[in-house]
């Protein structure tokens, strides 16, 4: 007779990947293109916490990449602000 539901995991899929490292990496990659002033610091924070959890959960490389991408996001934002300030600042044109 076949018994159902007797796998070794008992219905719980347990991943050894560090979720905060993944979240930091995603924030860092998306932050290169959109909302870098918000997603850059988030990537750094998630990456630092992910590095602290890396000995237990793994994902140390992803956490390091998240920190690096977070710093790159902030550098891109600073460059954009310098370029905007040197070209006369921001101006909003509404209407015709």
């Amino acid at each position: 007779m076949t018994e159902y539901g007797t796998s070794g995991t008992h219905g719980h899929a347990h991943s050894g990947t560090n979720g905060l490292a993944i979240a930091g990496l995603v924030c860092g990659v998306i932050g290169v293109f959109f909302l870098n002033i918000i997603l850059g610091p988030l990537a750094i924070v998630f990456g630092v916490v992910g590095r602290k959890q890396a000995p237990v959960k793994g994902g140390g490389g992803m956490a390091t990449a998240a920190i690096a991408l977070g710093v790159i996001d902030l550098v891109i934002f600073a460059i954009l602000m310098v370029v905007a300030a040197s070209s006369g600042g921001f101006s909003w044109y509404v209407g015709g």
Side-chain angles (χ1 to χ4, degrees):
M1 180 169 205
T2 305
E3 294 181 26
Y4 296 103
T6 59
S7 65
T9 59
H10 297 290
H12 297 287
H14 202 278
S15 175
T17 307
N18 191 345
L20 287 175
I22 294 172
L25 191 61
V26 169
C27 286
V29 169
I30 293 173
V32 171
F33 302 105
F34 305 107
L35 300 172
N36 48 10
I37 190 62
I38 296 169
L39 295 177
L42 281 175
I44 293 170
V45 170
F46 289 154
V48 168
V49 176
R51 286 287 297 161
K52 289 183 180 179
Q53 292 179 353
V56 177
K57 295 185 176 183
M62 285 189 289
T64 304
I67 295 169
L69 284 171
V71 171
I72 290 170
D73 292 346
L74 294 179
V75 168
I76 289 172
F77 180 76
I79 290 171
L80 290 175
M81 290 298 109
V82 167
V83 168
S86 68
S87 66
F90 299 104
S91 63
W92 298 93
Y93 179 73
V94 179

